[in-house]
Amino acid sequence: MSAAIFCAALVFALWRAQFDVALEERGAADVARAFEHLSALQDAPAERIDTHIEALREIVGSDRMRHLQLRLADATGRELIAPPEPAAPSWLARSFVALLPPESAQTSAATWVIRRDEGVRFVATFMLNPASEQDEALDDTLGLLGTLFGYGVLTLVAVFWALRRALAPLQPIHVAIGHYRDADYAWRVPPLPMRELDAVGRALNHMAGALDQAQEARRTLSLKLLGVQEEERTYIARELHDELGQVLTAMRADVAWLQRRVDGSAGVGEVMQGLAASCGRLQEGVRDLLDRLRPQDAGAGDGPVPLRALLDRLMQSWRERPGQQAELTLRFDDRVEPVADDLALTLYRMTQEALTNAMRYAGAQRIAVALSLDPDQRLLWQVEDDGVGIDALERALHRGNGLAGISERVWAHHGEIEIQPRHAGSDRPGVRLSARFPIGRNGSARS
């Protein structure tokens, strides 16, 4: 490549030299013709004098004599031929001349007196043309700078091309690292032409395989932990129902029996009424706790978990709470069901946690829950509210609160979660939680 650039620069320099030689040849030829016509003015017939003067005028007017200028006058001093008026120099030419050494004070003119036999006399004055020399020097300088610039540009292009070609095998490695950064460990680096780079690619593939196995093992463990949590909740709910529920029922029956047999003492009657009310509130609280621990009919029988019914009951329980004024809506696409049992319970728990955050902490007045299929036929779960929003999302995701649990559940089922404000920039931006689950994968497939 360097040899090609050098040859290109050499060709340009040779072309420039040929061009300069041609200019010099034309200038020398015009000078020779000028001397020829001046000599003819001395010996040519009188009727040919005007012809030679006109030829000289044409030579001088063409300005091809380069470094010389000719002025011709007759015996009376009348100027017959004058050098052409120089054109106004450009700013570049003026700047270049200012950098040159000052002109010599030596005379730069030569006079030739031409006498004819009949007494006619002509005075030819040859003068140096410094502007021509300066223009030539400027042209040579610009040509040299142009050659250097072109050589530099070609060198940079060649270096860029060579580096790009040398680093091209690194592109698959760069692409693979980008996939691994996004936790896409299924991507593999193809075989590379260089032995060293191919070794790096194989090492990356091995690492990706190990990370993929570790990630799948972590997902499996997370799903098992979620299953253990559900089993523990079911156990606690059963114990509460069997033990505490029966005790509370018996206590309410005893209080009712005592109320019927109490004498007319007002103080005892008030105490019995308060005790009965406390037992009722406690029983309602236990019933609400049982619903939170284990939703009714979740997995009952041999059929799939009735996700829509569970969500309807969950939202209705929030609507019926004392002092509750928020508007809750559910939009459920019939194409979603049936859903695998573990994913159905996960969606129920996610909705439960999202409603708790929106109602208790965000002060939301409108909450919308939606389940549907997106254009890619993935299950789309979405909860929107008009609450106060989330100030620091990253901190919220690492505080171990509801958002962290929702994100962990989505990840465990190979899903993708997106958390963003519903109305960015407003006083109450709200929150939009969106999660997408692939259809057909283990743990997130429809039955």
Side-chain angles (χ1 to χ4, degrees):
M1 181 58 67
S2 299
I5 296 174
F6 177 78
C7 290
L10 180 61
V11 169
F12 177 79
L14 292 175
W15 173 83
R16 179 69 187 185
Q18 185 178 9
F19 178 77
D20 291 340
V21 169
L23 289 180
E24 291 291 343
E25 288 178 350
R26 287 198 297 268
D30 283 348
V31 170
R33 288 174 53 210
F35 274 100
E36 181 181 353
H37 289 293
L38 287 173
S39 299
L41 288 179
Q42 185 174 2
D43 302 324
E47 62 272 11
R48 298 284 299 171
I49 291 178
D50 291 339
T51 302
H52 293 294
I53 292 176
E54 187 61 32
L56 287 171
R57 188 176 289 115
E58 179 183 354
I59 293 172
V60 173
S62 67
D63 199 21
R64 291 197 301 264
M65 294 175 62
R66 291 180 64 77
H67 311 314
L68 291 176
Q69 290 179 331
L70 172 64
R71 177 178 287 110
L72 183 66
D74 58 13
T76 62
R78 182 170 63 91
E79 195 173 64
L80 301 177
I81 298 175
E85 290 293 331
S90 63
W91 67 269
L92 181 61
R94 292 195 301 270
S95 302
F96 181 75
V97 171
L99 298 175
L100 296 177
E103 296 182 12
S104 174
Q106 235 176 356
T107 179
S108 57
T111 302
W112 180 11
V113 179
I114 303 173
R115 292 182 175 84
R116 292 179 58 83
D117 294 340
E118 63 269 23
V120 178
R121 189 182 68 173
F122 298 96
V123 178
T125 305
F126 287 94
M127 300 165 292
L128 294 178
N129 185 4
S132 176
E133 291 285 357
Q134 293 163 1
D135 290 343
E136 183 176 349
L138 178 60
D139 288 343
D140 291 341
T141 302
L142 292 178
L144 177 61
L145 292 178
T147 302
L148 294 176
F149 178 77
Y151 185 84
V153 170
L154 290 177
T155 302
L156 290 177
V157 171
V159 170
F160 176 79
W161 178 82
L163 286 177
R164 190 176 182 87
R165 184 177 180 183
L167 298 178
L170 292 176
Q171 184 64 21
I173 296 178
H174 180 265
V175 173
I177 292 175
H179 282 275
Y180 302 155
R181 180 190 57 206
D182 299 333
D184 180 14
Y185 302 122
W187 187 268
R188 293 294 180 267
V189 179
L192 300 176
M194 296 178 60
R195 182 176 60 184
E196 294 80 3
L197 293 180
D198 189 58
V200 173
R202 290 197 303 271
L204 285 175
N205 290 338
H206 178 74
M207 180 192 69
L211 290 175
D212 191 34
Q213 292 178 0
Q215 181 170 254
E216 289 303 319
R218 183 186 164 200
R219 277 198 175 97
T220 301
L221 178 60
S222 181
L223 289 174
K224 288 182 179 180
L225 289 176
L226 293 175
V228 170
Q229 288 179 1
E230 291 296 333
E231 292 176 0
E232 188 67 20
R233 284 171 175 165
T234 300
Y235 173 77
I236 295 174
R238 185 183 303 114
E239 291 297 315
L240 287 174
H241 180 271
D242 294 342
E243 301 294 333
L244 187 58
Q246 293 180 7
V247 172
L248 288 174
T249 301
M251 287 179 61
R252 294 191 68 180
D254 293 342
V255 170
W257 184 85
L258 289 174
Q259 283 180 319
R260 289 195 300 269
R261 284 163 176 75
V262 71
D263 57 11
S265 175
V268 175
E270 291 178 358
V271 171
M272 297 303 297
Q273 289 178 358
L275 183 59
S278 297
C279 289
R281 288 195 298 271
L282 182 57
Q283 196 168 25
E284 289 295 327
V286 170
R287 187 178 295 113
D288 181 68
L289 180 59
L290 290 175
D291 283 339
R292 288 184 60 82
L293 288 173
R294 182 65 175 175
Q296 298 178 12
D297 299 329
D302 297 330
V305 173
L307 179 59
R308 182 167 191 169
L310 291 178
L311 295 180
D312 281 331
R313 190 176 298 112
L314 173 64
M315 300 188 73
Q316 186 62 29
S317 68
W318 277 100
R319 296 189 188 99
E320 294 174 353
R321 296 195 178 193
Q324 185 59 255
Q325 301 295 326
E327 177 185 343
L328 289 84
T329 59
L330 172 64
R331 183 170 58 85
F332 196 99
D333 191 338
D334 293 334
R335 297 177 301 167
V336 170
E337 288 189 313
V339 179
D341 290 352
D342 54 352
L343 179 58
L345 287 176
T346 292
L347 293 171
Y348 175 83
R349 294 300 182 191
M350 290 167 55
T351 307
Q352 192 178 51
E353 194 63 52
L355 290 176
T356 301
N357 289 342
M359 301 289 282
R360 293 184 178 176
Y361 308 121
Q365 297 299 314
R366 291 183 178 83
I367 307 173
V369 180
L371 275 88
S372 61
L373 296 180
D374 69 1
D376 296 329
Q377 295 301 302
R378 293 180 297 178
L379 192 154
L380 172 61
W381 171 87
Q382 193 170 77
V383 178
E384 296 181 340
D385 68 69
D386 60 352
V388 297
I390 303 174
D391 292 334
L393 180 59
E394 290 298 326
R395 288 204 302 268
L397 288 173
H398 292 86
R399 279 201 300 259
N401 61 359
L403 289 179
I406 291 174
S407 299
E408 181 69 18
R409 290 177 183 272
V410 173
W411 176 83
H413 286 274
H414 296 271
E416 299 174 1
I417 190 170
E418 183 178 4
I419 306 174
Q420 59 186 1
R422 187 179 177 216
H423 299 292
S426 63
D427 296 336
R428 294 175 62 85
V431 174
R432 177 184 290 117
L433 299 175
S434 301
R436 290 174 170 82
F437 300 90
I439 298 297
R441 297 198 66 169
N442 184 27
S444 60
R446 288 184 288 174
S447 300

